[in-house]
Amino acid sequence: MTAPDIRAVLRIAAEQHLLPARAAVPPLEATRPWPVVLLTALGAWLAALPILGGVGLLLGELLLRGAGLYVVGALMLLGALVVLRAYAVPLFVEQVAVPALLVGMLLLGYALMRDLGQHAGAGALVLLALAAGMVVRGTWLRVLLGAGAAVLFVPAIGPAGWFDRWGTGQLAWWWPLHLALLVWLLAQAGLRAAASTRAAAAVYSLATGWLLATLAALAWWSGMTFLVAASAGAVGAIARELSTPGTHTGWFEPAISVVLALAGAAWAAREWPGLRRPWLAAVALVLAGICWFMPTLGAVWLALAVCCTASRWTLAGAAALAAAWIVGAFYYWLAWPLGTKALVLAAAGAALGALAWQALAARATTRPAHAAPPARFARWAIGASVVLVLASVNVGIWQKERLIREGQPVFVELAPVDPRSLMQGDYMRLNFRLPPGLERISLVGAKRPHVIARRDARGVATLLRIDDGGALAAGEMRIELSPKGGGWILVSDAWFFAEGEAQRWARAKYGEFRVEPGGRALLVGLRGPGLEAL
């Protein structure tokens, strides 16, 4: 599209009050191939970091005294903004300005936090990041600054000691996250009031980064989602440490979640008249009911509705992913039995299925006589999906049953700790004595480590050393380790049992495993001091 075409589109948008009357065409930016930008950025960072480090060493005393941080940080920030604001700047110089911008922000942030405290310092940084976002030209840099501003906004209005997540109680972070979403909604309203297309583009990019950070924080607050740690291996184990289950008490936060979900449904019906149907209203009520049990889900539903109606499909996809994450976190963080949680989700699924069936039946009865019947492909696709789900579940069950049936029985001495779980009834935490050196093995990798064990005549195994790939001696075997809690464990660190059976399992002395020749193992039970069954 040429510049005259863009001006014509903007004129029509202004006449229809979609853009302000003073909207003007900004200078067209030259586009560069992204591989060139990436390689140039890499070279710029490699050149800038040693220079910045050298400047830091030369100004070390100045940075430590009085206003030195403010002076150096402000100079670096202003210089970077001048470069990033200009148009006729070589690409290498532009990329060098990016680390200078970040370092300037970090220096000013440290000084503000030091002198003003958490709330005032973080608040000043929020305003500084947003102001910088309005000045720079790069869209991607504006998105990053918007995300950083959202991250800083939470501690700016949140409880003191924001690095200590457990010290203040996780419920205290629920309100700042929802206020961050409110700021994003206000930014959407402010887009139409922007004085020019340049300002509107800057606000648009900043708001994009702000929402992405807010959605990630809402999902993080909810805790680890269902089976991610097991599916993603080491990466999931690391994520699990960064995301622990949230808790809430009372009725106010769940009620707000329901209200936000209903507001999202109302907004979608307002923007898309085709949604104004009774059965879709019933679907909205079912989804709002689910939000009662998940205090952050309503905010995500509202963001999803706003993004969909505005045709911002990338952000809508991010909101949908956050919603799926929160629903999956329902498995872990409610203090209910697993059966009760399954019943809630099954009831919601059954209600949604019944409403969908009713809608399809109503559509069939109102179809004109000459209309073609529904394509069979949809029915076959649904049937195939059901078969694939059942097949995957049953394959997993079959593999574990085969391991239990054919695996070699091995008993490993354990030390139980923490006899109760506040989430899923009673359980015992298991702490097996692993050989030293596992802390040096990275969690990020496709191959899991193994330990070498030797069984005695009773089947009790002694864990000798970490497998280095060498040949096994007589009587030795390999056992595969699993990632958990930022480290490696022997298959599992917990044994769940029915409520009221703590006395039965208190005598446990050994973990009972089944081990395949390749080292894959499964915890199948606990044994007493004499290897007697409990």
Side-chain angles (χ1 to χ4, degrees):
M1 182 178 291
T2 62
D5 295 332
I6 296 176
R7 294 189 181 92
V9 171
L10 291 175
R11 185 182 68 254
I12 296 173
E15 292 173 354
Q16 297 181 358
H17 305 289
L18 299 176
L19 289 175
R22 291 178 293 171
V25 178
L28 297 178
E29 298 182 12
T31 59
R32 303 183 178 102
W34 69 265
V36 175
V37 175
L38 181 62
L39 292 175
T40 306
L42 179 61
W45 277 81
L46 292 176
L49 292 180
I51 295 175
L52 293 174
V55 173
L57 293 176
L58 291 175
L59 302 177
E61 291 296 326
L62 177 62
L63 294 177
L64 295 176
R65 293 198 307 264
L69 281 174
Y70 292 102
V71 174
V72 177
L75 289 176
M76 294 189 68
L77 180 61
L78 290 175
L81 291 178
V82 169
V83 173
L84 294 172
R85 175 73 173 178
Y87 284 95
V89 176
L91 178 58
F92 182 82
V93 177
E94 179 185 276
Q95 294 301 318
V96 169
V98 174
L101 173 68
L102 298 179
V103 172
M105 293 283 291
L106 288 175
L107 293 177
L108 289 176
Y110 177 79
L112 291 169
M113 290 283 190
R114 179 194 64 188
D115 298 335
L116 302 180
Q118 171 190 315
H119 296 95
L125 280 176
V126 170
L127 298 178
L128 190 61
L130 293 178
M134 297 296 294
V135 172
V136 300
R137 290 187 299 106
T139 301
W140 65 272
L141 192 54
R142 288 172 176 168
V143 172
L144 289 180
L145 288 172
V151 171
L152 292 167
F153 177 80
V154 175
I157 63 174
W162 63 292
F163 290 105
D164 183 9
R165 193 157 170 255
W166 290 104
T168 56
Q170 207 175 356
L171 183 59
W173 298 105
W174 185 90
W175 286 103
L177 293 177
H178 282 70
L179 290 176
L181 180 69
L182 177 61
V183 171
W184 176 76
L185 292 173
L186 294 176
Q188 305 311 298
L191 282 174
R192 294 186 178 183
S196 66
T197 52
R198 188 192 304 276
V203 173
Y204 183 92
S205 300
L206 288 170
T208 297
W210 186 288
L211 179 62
L212 290 174
T214 303
L215 291 173
L218 289 169
W220 168 81
W221 187 94
S222 300
M224 178 53 58
T225 196
F226 182 64
L227 292 183
V228 163
S231 300
V235 176
I238 297 173
R240 183 164 186 164
E241 287 302 299
L242 301 177
S243 174
T244 52
T247 56
H248 74 280
T249 57
W251 57 270
F252 196 74
E253 289 78 14
I256 294 296
S257 182
V258 172
V259 170
L260 292 177
L262 293 176
W267 178 265
R270 176 183 179 273
E271 297 295 314
W272 289 345
L275 298 180
R276 301 170 188 173
R277 299 181 182 181
W279 73 274
L280 286 174
V283 169
L285 290 176
V286 173
L287 296 178
I290 297 176
C291 292
W292 175 270
F293 306 103
M294 308 168 201
T296 57
L297 185 57
V300 175
W301 281 130
L302 177 57
L304 177 61
V306 173
C307 292
C308 286
T309 54
S311 299
R312 301 180 67 178
W313 300 115
T314 301
L315 285 178
L321 181 61
W325 181 284
I326 294 171
V327 172
F330 181 70
Y331 173 81
Y332 288 111
W333 66 276
L334 279 183
W336 292 357
L338 183 59
T340 304
K341 293 184 285 188
L343 181 61
V344 169
L345 294 179
L352 293 175
L355 291 170
W357 184 273
Q358 180 183 3
L360 291 175
R363 182 180 178 183
T365 57
T366 57
R367 186 187 301 113
H370 61 276
R376 294 184 179 181
F377 175 77
R379 298 179 180 178
W380 282 104
I382 295 174
S385 300
V386 173
V387 171
L388 288 176
V389 170
L390 294 176
S392 61
V393 171
N394 282 277
V395 166
I397 295 174
W398 173 78
Q399 289 176 340
K400 288 181 171 56
E401 287 183 344
R402 183 175 62 85
L403 179 55
I404 294 173
R405 183 176 62 253
E406 301 177 3
Q408 190 174 13
V410 174
F411 305 99
V412 181
E413 187 176 357
L414 57 86
V417 293
D418 193 6
R420 278 197 59 85
S421 164
L422 299 179
M423 294 160 47
Q424 298 182 26
D426 288 4
Y427 84 113
M428 296 179 67
R429 291 193 60 189
L430 310 179
N431 182 25
F432 299 98
R433 296 179 179 86
L434 297 174
L438 287 172
E439 65 278 359
R440 297 192 298 268
I441 301 179
S442 174
L443 287 168
V444 182
K447 187 177 181 180
R448 296 186 178 186
H450 292 69
V451 293
I452 304 301
R454 178 185 290 116
R455 292 199 319 157
D456 61 16
R458 300 186 304 162
V460 177
T462 301
L463 305 181
L464 302 175
R465 64 187 184 278
I466 302 173
D467 182 22
D468 58 0
L472 298 178
E476 291 184 345
M477 62 188 307
R478 290 185 175 91
I479 303 179
E480 185 182 70
L481 300 179
S482 301
K484 178 74 177 292
W488 297 100
I489 63 172
L490 189 65
V491 181
S492 175
D493 65 347
W495 173 257
F496 291 87
F497 51 84
E499 295 181 6
E501 294 187 358
Q503 190 65 29
R504 170 189 174 188
W505 301 102
R507 299 186 299 112
K509 182 66 174 176
Y510 296 92
E512 181 181 0
F513 295 86
R514 294 292 185 271
V515 184
E516 290 181 337
R520 185 167 174 265
L522 181 67
L523 178 67
V524 299
L526 299 180
R527 294 295 183 103
L531 296 181
E532 70 275 12
L534 301 177

